[in-house]
Amino acid sequence: MRRRSMIAMLAIISLLPAAATNGQLGPHTTTHSAGTAAETTVEIPRVTRVRLRSGVALEVTEAGRADGQPVLFLHGYPDSRLSFSRLLPLLPSNVRAIVPTQRGHGNSDRPSRCYRPKDFAKDAIELLDALGIPTATVVGHSMGSFVAMRLALSAPKRVTRLVLIGSAYSAQSPSVLEVAKTVRTLVDPVPAEFVREFQKSTINEPVPAEFFEQVVSESMKAPARVWRDVLAGLIAKPTVGNLTRIKVPTLIVWGDKDGLFDRASQEKLQR
């Protein structure tokens, strides 16, 4: 479904100042609290735990200089900050990467409710506030792309550029709806075999075995209710809203082996 190696390389290009174009179609732990300013230097990389105004704490990878260009990376379903771990060493030196594990996933808090794209977008805004970041380029992959669009709509002054990877105008594709039928039946503990097969199905080309096992391990941390609630939020109508209101330069990145969203979905998203 998702071609991680291609996604990584194209995402790098999209972060360069001259590369963001409008409507392009392409193939030790520290705790922050809301309202605190970022430190002057950032180790490459380091894991932080950021508590938002809402009280939810997110596990976050930060990489690059604290005075670099902020880029917020939002992972897909049901992934974590580790999804972008192989990309971070390849980023330009002028990028400050912020890669949260979104609520419910990985080692972040798992509240009992609020797993819609608008809830994740609110978390993203509060994360930027907690780190003292007024604006950022936002990169969203799959589920994260719908969160990124919602963020751009709800807080347009906070988003300077947008990168949508493996996205669509609506998450209600036949493939996603079919996956939802199975996800609705999940109970705890979520079967390891299901998680492994799910993640395996998202890979078109081989990835390092160690990386794959880490991805599976992270996905196993999400309880069944998170699997169900996140997907239910994604396929609800409307997923994000009137996308014509998004005016920032936007790059659409898509792989032709994507089993969730086809080329027609990309063209509709572009329009």
Side-chain angles (χ1 to χ4, degrees):
M1 294 179 183
R2 294 169 291 185
R3 302 184 62 177
R4 295 182 188 269
S5 58
M6 184 240 15
I7 285 171
M9 295 309 296
L10 287 179
I12 295 167
I13 297 172
S14 73
L15 301 178
L16 298 176
T21 56
N22 192 14
Q24 288 288 320
L25 182 65
H28 93 84
T29 300
T30 300
T31 300
H32 292 286
S33 296
T36 61
E39 297 176 13
T40 56
T41 60
V42 175
E43 299 171 8
I44 305 178
R46 69 170 183 173
V47 178
T48 68
R49 191 164 181 85
V50 182
R51 188 163 299 281
L52 310 180
R53 285 193 301 272
S54 65
V56 173
L58 305 182
E59 186 173 71
V60 183
T61 294
E62 296 181 73
R65 303 196 317 261
D67 61 349
Q69 175 188 346
V71 181
L72 176 65
F73 292 88
L74 301 173
H75 64 76
Y77 171 86
D79 298 330
S80 73
R81 61 185 178 82
L82 291 182
S83 294
F84 294 102
S85 60
R86 301 185 66 227
L87 171 62
L88 297 184
L90 307 176
L91 292 177
S93 60
N94 67 331
V95 166
R96 176 187 178 184
I98 303 100
V99 193
T101 292
Q102 300 185 77
R103 65 165 60 202
H105 300 76
N107 292 325
S108 289
D109 284 356
R110 293 181 276 276
S112 62
R113 54 181 295 183
C114 297
Y115 289 100
R116 298 161 296 184
K118 70 176 184 179
D119 300 315
F120 291 118
K122 183 174 180 290
D123 285 349
I125 295 170
E126 292 188 8
L127 174 60
L128 294 178
D129 290 343
L131 298 178
I133 299 173
T135 62
T137 293
V138 181
V139 180
H141 171 231
S142 192
M143 176 195 85
S145 72
F146 293 98
V147 178
M149 287 186 278
R150 173 65 72 176
L151 177 56
L153 288 168
S154 60
K157 294 183 179 180
R158 306 298 297 270
V159 180
T160 55
R161 287 173 292 179
L162 201 57
V163 182
L164 306 176
I165 305 170
S167 189
Y169 177 77
S170 170
Q172 291 190 330
S173 75
S175 296
V176 173
L177 294 177
E178 191 64 30
V179 171
K181 293 179 182 178
T182 301
V183 169
R184 291 190 192 105
T185 69
L186 292 178
V187 295
D188 291 321
V190 176
E193 297 81 5
F194 170 79
V195 177
R196 182 172 297 277
E197 287 303 312
F198 180 91
Q199 289 293 2
K200 185 178 180 180
S201 73
T202 70
I203 299 172
N204 181 60
E205 296 180 354
V207 298
E210 182 180 6
F211 173 71
F212 179 74
E213 293 303 323
Q214 289 176 326
V215 169
V216 171
S217 177
E218 287 292 287
S219 295
M220 287 289 296
K221 295 175 182 178
R225 61 179 176 82
V226 169
W227 283 76
R228 295 192 302 264
D229 291 354
V230 172
L231 194 52
L234 279 174
I235 62 178
K237 291 184 178 181
T239 302
V240 285
N242 185 3
L243 300 185
T244 61
R245 289 167 40 216
I246 296 178
K247 304 301 181 183
V248 296
T250 301
L251 178 69
I252 298 172
V253 182
W254 175 70
D256 60 6
K257 304 299 183 182
D258 194 319
L260 292 180
F261 306 118
D262 58 16
R263 185 179 183 90
S265 298
Q266 311 308 303
E267 292 172 347
K268 185 174 183 179
L269 176 61
Q270 183 183 22
R271 289 194 301 269

